[in-house]
Amino acid sequence: MELGDLLRPLLRGWTIPLLLFTVGYTLVYLPQIEKELDEGCSLLPDTHFVLYSKRVVTTQGIGPYSVEVEGERIVSVTKRSEAPKSLPGKPRVLDYGNAVIMPGLIDTHVHLNEPGRVEWEGFLTGTMAAAAGGITAVVDMPLNSRPTITTKEHLENKIKASKGKIFIDVGFWGGLVPEYAHNATVLEDLLDAGALGLKSFMCPSGINDFPATTAKDIQASLPVLAKYGRPILVHQEVVDPPADPAHLMQGEPVSNARSYQRYLNSRPISWETEAVRQLMEVAKDTRSGGVADGAHVHVVHLSDATNTLSIIKEAKAEGSSVTVETCAHYLAFAAEDIPEGATQYKCAPPIRDSRNRELLWKALLDGEIDMITSDHSPSTIDLKLLEEGDFLKAWGGISGIQGTLEFGKDADIVVWDPEASFVIDGHYPIYFKNKVTAYMGHKYSGKVITTFVRGRQVFEEGLHSPKINILLV
């Protein structure tokens, strides 16, 4: 049995497992900034143990394997018949029956917002939610902190603010803004301080000290990124004047602001397509022998599976170093199903229609889209204007955060039950700070049983480890 055979029925159905929504793969090897582990930061007292299941995901396929963990590492993966027995003096064997044991998930697009906007989300609650979702590493976006992470000093403050508050591995993207886009020294200092790459917006971000960059700004940063072999992640919308829907914002009845269609019309596909067209021109510099050979361009949260995706596919085919992600909400929801005034569904780019959703699924399963991320982007409940239901004024962003098993790899492991189903409702334990999410009220398949980070059991069915890890990547 192949991994795809196990996952495809769940991926294609409406009851898509929330666990799988947040899967993503790192764009670069994550260099470790710091690696401190407190004793007692695991629910499991053992540092040497064996995990067993009839469905373990390995490089040889899915089957009955045992995964032996000692300290932070996987020390063996063997057939069950060859596995150590649970005997006195031997490592404990944890038998998970028919549950799936697989590498922990990595979410490369998360907004944790600390320091400065901890009332929106923070390291503690955000990483608790991630662990409960089977995620063993996240990479935090730079723009919702105060200050935004655009310099070495700001990143160092961010890292300091995370001390003693995180349950899983956390890495950080740096921010690219016009002020520093052409200043190689500032960018190099930021990357030297541990930023895994840079993130920019091609349209207003909504954060005053994180202004939009132009294609020329992004192009100027690429030689520095090439030197470090790291990516730039880009929010791909530009306000395209021929399609500028500003007239929709004026002179219409207030009640119309509760219409999702009005919001959808205010951010047309043409904005996304034009941004990607400009970006793929810049990405030509990343081709072999180019002035930015070694840099990488990553398109975040793709919502359009038609012309925009076609431009990205063409750039890949021509040798540009490019990848693209989509998000859980674009795969889960459709514009025509969003209720009037339901501002918990507001995000940018917006959720599009069901036909587009099916095309995104096809592109994902065909390998044309490289990864899925959550884009967990919370705010305080009052900013969502739930009672007013004004899509144009409400803060945008959807809350939704909840490798290989080989010798020598970090023991980052999730165990989950694909057959278990659940409804996210008022009784379902939600660990992120503000309990407003577009996923509320829907039924999902795929329940996390337990999560291990570097051999530490950080979550098990409603419980988190008693002490907090300090794990930065």
Side-chain angles (χ1 to χ4, degrees):
M1 178 184 291
E2 297 296 328
L3 179 59
D5 297 329
L6 173 67
L7 303 183
R8 192 165 287 109
L10 294 172
L11 285 169
R12 291 299 300 170
W14 170 247
T15 56
I16 307 160
L18 188 61
L19 164 73
L20 296 175
F21 278 171
T22 45
V23 69
Y25 297 96
T26 45
L27 304 176
V28 292
Y29 176 75
L30 299 183
Q32 293 179 7
I33 298 172
E34 188 167 345
K35 192 173 181 179
E36 302 175 19
L37 293 168
D38 291 338
E39 294 300 322
C41 62
S42 174
L43 291 167
L44 185 68
D46 306 69
T47 58
H48 187 194
F49 54 91
V50 176
L51 308 178
Y52 168 71
S53 167
K54 296 174 185 175
R55 292 191 287 186
V56 178
V57 179
T58 74
T59 54
Q60 287 75 44
I62 298 173
Y65 289 89
S66 292
V67 181
E68 184 179 2
V69 175
E70 188 167 5
E72 298 181 18
R73 303 284 183 177
I74 295 170
V75 296
S76 71
V77 179
T78 58
K79 287 284 188 180
R80 175 57 176 166
S81 59
E82 303 167 3
K85 307 299 181 185
S86 187
L87 299 170
K90 299 289 184 181
R92 183 191 305 200
V93 177
L94 303 175
D95 189 340
Y96 288 102
N98 205 40
V100 174
I101 298 177
M102 62 182 279
L105 307 180
I106 298 170
D107 193 341
T108 62
H109 194 146
V110 172
H111 295 262
L112 294 177
N113 307 337
E114 190 175 355
R117 288 188 173 90
V118 70
E119 70 276 12
W120 290 21
E121 185 64 279
F123 288 110
L124 182 65
T125 50
T127 60
M128 285 180 72
I135 298 168
T136 54
V138 299
V139 189
D140 183 37
M141 286 293 173
L143 70 150
N144 287 352
S145 305
R146 283 200 185 105
T148 56
I149 312 305
T150 55
T151 68
K152 170 187 175 181
E153 292 73 24
H154 295 171
L155 177 57
E156 289 173 345
N157 288 338
K158 179 94 168 175
I159 294 170
K160 184 178 179 180
S162 72
K163 294 284 189 177
K165 299 178 183 177
I166 54 182
F167 285 85
I168 62 171
D169 286 331
V170 176
F172 304 98
W173 300 120
L176 183 74
V177 293
E179 181 180 0
Y180 303 125
H182 302 262
N183 189 325
T185 300
V186 172
L187 297 182
E188 288 184 6
D189 286 348
L190 182 56
L191 295 169
D192 283 334
L196 302 178
L198 301 176
K199 166 70 183 295
S200 73
F201 272 67
M202 295 181 75
C203 65
S205 71
I207 303 296
N208 291 336
D209 60 340
F210 205 88
T213 54
T214 65
K216 288 187 180 298
D217 293 329
I218 293 168
Q219 188 171 31
S221 74
L222 290 180
V224 175
L225 289 164
K227 178 180 176 180
Y228 287 78
R230 298 189 191 174
I232 184 162
L233 293 74
V234 183
H235 182 120
Q236 75 294 357
E237 287 181 294
V238 295
V239 180
D240 187 14
D244 185 355
H247 64 280
L248 293 175
M249 309 295 187
Q250 301 173 4
E252 296 191 18
V254 174
S255 61
N256 189 266
R258 293 177 56 84
S259 165
Y260 183 77
Q261 188 62 46
R262 183 187 181 191
Y263 173 64
L264 182 61
N265 292 342
S266 77
R267 299 186 88 105
I269 285 176
S270 61
W271 288 17
E272 197 169 355
T273 303
E274 174 59 18
V276 165
R277 186 194 65 75
Q278 295 179 22
L279 191 58
M280 293 305 101
E281 282 296 313
V282 166
K284 290 178 180 178
D285 289 351
T286 67
R287 296 177 185 176
S288 179
V291 296
D293 184 1
H296 183 83
V297 175
H298 180 68
V299 178
V300 299
H301 49 51
L302 179 82
S303 74
D304 172 37
T306 56
N307 292 339
T308 309
L309 181 58
S310 295
I311 296 170
I312 296 169
K313 289 163 57 178
E314 183 178 349
K316 287 182 177 182
E318 292 175 349
S320 298
S321 183
V322 175
T323 47
V324 58
E325 70 183 50
T326 192
C327 295
H329 36 274
Y330 301 127
L331 299 169
F333 307 119
E336 57 265 39
D337 299 326
I338 295 177
E340 183 177 276
T343 54
Q344 64 267 32
Y345 290 89
K346 180 180 178 179
C347 59
I351 295 166
R352 307 200 187 277
D353 61 30
S354 57
R355 176 181 175 275
N356 183 77
R357 179 180 64 191
E358 289 308 306
L359 291 175
L360 284 174
W361 273 115
K362 184 178 186 303
L364 179 68
L365 295 174
D366 289 345
E368 295 170 352
I369 294 175
D370 300 280
M371 65 186 75
I372 309 171
T373 62
S374 69
D375 192 6
H376 175 63
S377 185
S379 69
T380 55
I381 294 175
D382 60 300
L383 291 178
K384 297 301 287 186
L385 302 180
L386 295 176
E387 292 187 14
E388 187 176 344
D390 189 327
F391 277 103
L392 300 181
K393 294 179 181 177
W395 184 265
I398 290 180
S399 298
I401 195 173
Q402 283 260 348
T404 58
L405 298 181
E406 294 181 87
F407 171 77
K409 296 291 180 71
D410 281 350
D412 296 336
I413 300 167
V414 58
V415 183
W416 62 288
D417 182 356
E419 284 75 45
S421 61
F422 57 95
V423 175
I424 298 180
D425 56 19
H427 302 290
Y428 187 83
I430 294 175
Y431 299 100
F432 51 79
K433 181 157 290 186
N434 292 282
K435 319 298 185 187
V436 175
T437 174
Y439 301 103
M440 189 71 73
H442 296 287
K443 184 178 182 180
Y444 299 97
S445 299
K447 186 176 183 180
V448 173
I449 297 171
T450 188
T451 305
F452 294 85
V453 177
R454 298 192 199 165
R456 270 68 176 181
Q457 188 180 40
V458 297
F459 173 80
E460 184 179 36
E461 297 192 275
L463 297 175
H464 286 80
S465 54
K467 286 189 178 180
I468 298 170
N469 302 319
I470 303 175
L471 300 167
L472 302 177
V473 295

